[in-house]
Amino acid sequence: MNLLNVVILAAGKGTRMYSAKPKVLHALAGRPLLQHVLDCAISLQPQKVCVVYGHGGETVPLAMRQYAAQFVIQEPQLGTGHAVQQAMPYLADDSQTLVLYGDVPLIQHQTLHQMQQLGDGLTLLTVKLANPAGYGRIVRDKQGDVIGIVEEKDASAEQREITEVNTGILLAPTRQLRDWLSRLRTDNVQGEYYLTDIVSMAVEAGVSVHTVQPANEWEIHGINSKSQLAVLERSWQRVLADRLLAQGVTLADPARLDVRGSLECGRDVEIDVGCIFEGEVRLGDDVQIGAYCVIRNASLAQGTQIAPYSHLDGSIVGSACRIGPYARLRPGTRLHDDVHIGNFVEVKNSEISQSSKANHLSYIGDTTIGRRVNIGAGTITCNYDGAYKHRTVIEDDVFIGSDTQLVAPVTVARGATIGAGSTITRDTPEGELTLSRSKQLTISGWKRPVKKSISK
């Protein structure tokens, strides 16, 4: 197989997006459109990837700086042929060049690999559409061989009846592509250099023109408006849902699921409606996710249950844990097995050991909690002094009474009990009851104030 270059055209302004952001940086399934294309391109192991950008200036290469790609500016934008010309100085002749588009985000590896298998010649990715409006038509002779592509604005009435259309994605020998591009002209309705004009040049040169069709129509759908982006988002989310269903995941409603990253599921996982998964999420066997949860960059071990409306971010959760409803786990949280985090409890940068519980209305930040600890309702770890964060340590078998403030840095020793309503500012002894309260008083004869009536 010949060495491969990939050229990604990403210079379009995206006028119909009505946004200051370059079109290719708008997100689909949680990632910029261009990132989808780059990931697919890199999966082909090319020797060179060139991204041709324009509108938005350096925001495009800056946003994609994690990729080892050559970013080439197209200024001004004079059509697709002109865009590919900008990349040619960076491409070796003894190779093939694959042209992709930064606003066609869902092209799949298998489709592009199939194009590579056809060997030498010019290979076009085409598709037959029930409604081909807006696309260039594939023109064939009586023998069925491709003889050219005509853009819709330049097409005759008869040619507009053709349903096989050009996707714009093509694979060509780099040496010949360089020659064809040098001979492009602007004698068309748009006054631009059309990349599609190289097809007729290939035919004239006796170069074989092959066509490949994608397995799925959504692979070639481009984005020109927020409406198209929304439609493709739902199409792609349904694809991801179907893949999860095929793996044995139970989805309460496949149409109400959003995966904005990668979601890895074990056996017998159940996911209720309205859940959002972002970044890298791993769900172990028998995990249950309640309705309207948001889970980002998290790992949940076997048998853990997340009740509705809970948010987990940057957290590691052990097996058989019970989280929520309305719980929030923030980055740096690690829960061991059989931990309970209840309603309106927030945990941040803390480790909670096996069989400990915080079931109601508490904040646990920068804390290390041992085994079998009970955190009473309304407990707060006061970890920030206005300049620095400090750590709280709660050892095994501690009972923290409700409405307690633990002012860090502080250690509650093994087996200690903290009386409800206490403010703890010093380390507490092992196995003892510690509390800090004002003495309860009753003031005899006290009268509650009442408003005085104002006479008119």
Side-chain angles (χ1 to χ4, degrees), residues 166-239:
N166 173 46
T167 67
I169 294 173
L170 60 83
L171 180 68
T174 305
R175 188 186 307 275
Q176 290 168 303
L177 178 61
R178 192 185 309 277
D179 174 58
W180 295 333
L181 289 171
S182 71
R183 294 192 277 128
L184 292 178
R185 298 293 179 264
T186 58
D187 50 350
N188 52 63
V189 173
Q190 293 288 91
E192 294 182 345
Y193 294 97
Y194 286 163
L195 180 61
T196 51
D197 287 347
I198 72 170
V199 178
S200 59
M201 296 179 190
V203 172
E204 290 173 6
V207 175
S208 299
V209 180
H210 312 289
T211 59
V212 168
Q213 298 244 334
N216 311 283
E217 186 180 310
W218 44 259
E219 292 185 48
I220 58 87
H221 285 173
I223 301 300
N224 290 302
S225 67
K226 294 288 181 65
S227 176
Q228 290 176 340
L229 179 60
V231 169
L232 193 58
E233 176 78 43
R234 295 327 310 162
S235 296
W236 182 236
Q237 292 299 338
R238 184 59 203 235
V239 170

Side-chain angles (χ1 to χ4, degrees), residues 114-149:
Q114 186 181 352
M115 293 177 69
Q116 287 183 281
Q117 298 307 302
L118 295 179
D120 294 333
L122 175 62
T123 302
L124 308 176
L125 186 65
T126 71
V127 66
K128 291 184 178 179
L129 299 177
N131 179 13
Y135 287 89
R137 309 303 202 273
I138 301 295
V139 182
R140 295 179 182 268
D141 61 18
K142 292 181 180 179
Q143 288 72 43
D145 296 325
V146 175
I147 59 174
I149 300 173

Side-chain angles (χ1 to χ4, degrees), residues 45-343:
Q45 299 182 323
Q47 66 171 345
K48 190 76 173 181
V49 176
C50 284
V51 177
V52 182
Y53 70 100
H55 286 286
E58 295 303 310
T59 55
V60 172
L62 185 62
M64 298 292 117
R65 60 188 177 276
Q66 71 270 37
Y67 292 95
Q70 180 73 52
F71 290 90
V72 185
I73 193 162
Q74 182 193 16
E75 211 170 38
Q77 285 80 50
L78 301 177
T80 52
H82 179 256
V84 178
Q85 285 175 351
Q86 310 312 302
M88 297 309 295
Y90 303 94
L91 309 181
D93 278 343
D94 57 342
S95 61
Q96 289 185 305
T97 294
L98 175 66
V99 178
L100 302 176
Y101 295 82
D103 60 357
V104 181
L106 296 184
I107 187 65
Q108 298 294 291
H109 171 94
Q110 184 58 40
T111 297
L112 300 180
H113 182 68
Q114 186 181 352
M115 293 177 69
Q116 287 183 281
Q117 298 307 302
L118 295 179
D120 294 333
L122 175 62
T123 302
L124 308 176
L125 186 65
T126 71
V127 66
K128 291 184 178 179
L129 299 177
N131 179 13
Y135 287 89
R137 309 303 202 273
I138 301 295
V139 182
R140 295 179 182 268
D141 61 18
K142 292 181 180 179
Q143 288 72 43
D145 296 325
V146 175
I147 59 174
I149 300 173
V150 59
E151 297 296 330
E152 184 171 67
K153 291 181 180 180
D154 301 307
S156 66
E158 182 180 359
Q159 289 171 330
R160 292 185 182 187
E161 295 299 316
I162 298 172
T163 59
E164 184 183 12
V165 303
N166 173 46
T167 67
I169 294 173
L170 60 83
L171 180 68
T174 305
R175 188 186 307 275
Q176 290 168 303
L177 178 61
R178 192 185 309 277
D179 174 58
W180 295 333
L181 289 171
S182 71
R183 294 192 277 128
L184 292 178
R185 298 293 179 264
T186 58
D187 50 350
N188 52 63
V189 173
Q190 293 288 91
E192 294 182 345
Y193 294 97
Y194 286 163
L195 180 61
T196 51
D197 287 347
I198 72 170
V199 178
S200 59
M201 296 179 190
V203 172
E204 290 173 6
V207 175
S208 299
V209 180
H210 312 289
T211 59
V212 168
Q213 298 244 334
N216 311 283
E217 186 180 310
W218 44 259
E219 292 185 48
I220 58 87
H221 285 173
I223 301 300
N224 290 302
S225 67
K226 294 288 181 65
S227 176
Q228 290 176 340
L229 179 60
V231 169
L232 193 58
E233 176 78 43
R234 295 327 310 162
S235 296
W236 182 236
Q237 292 299 338
R238 184 59 203 235
V239 170
L240 297 178
D242 287 342
R243 290 178 182 176
L244 291 171
L245 291 168
Q247 296 167 12
V249 177
T250 298
L251 301 177
D253 184 352
R256 289 189 281 173
L257 171 77
D258 282 89
V259 179
R260 301 171 184 170
S262 64
L263 174 59
E264 178 185 326
C265 296
R267 296 172 63 89
D268 297 310
V269 169
E270 299 179 10
I271 300 173
D272 210 332
V273 301
C275 292
I276 299 173
F277 300 91
E278 299 180 342
E280 296 183 8
V281 177
R282 294 186 297 275
L283 306 181
D285 295 348
D286 300 303
V287 167
Q288 298 178 16
I289 308 296
Y292 301 104
C293 290
V294 179
I295 302 178
R296 178 189 300 111
N297 295 322
S299 175
L300 283 63
Q302 181 175 5
T304 283
Q305 296 180 10
I306 311 297
Y309 299 100
S310 295
H311 288 205
L312 284 68
D313 182 8
S315 301
I316 299 173
V317 179
S319 63
C321 292
R322 302 292 179 268
I323 312 297
Y326 298 99
R328 185 184 182 196
L329 306 186
R330 291 169 57 192
T333 294
R334 183 179 179 186
L335 308 184
H336 292 244
D337 299 343
D338 189 36
V339 169
H340 293 194
I341 301 295
N343 51 286

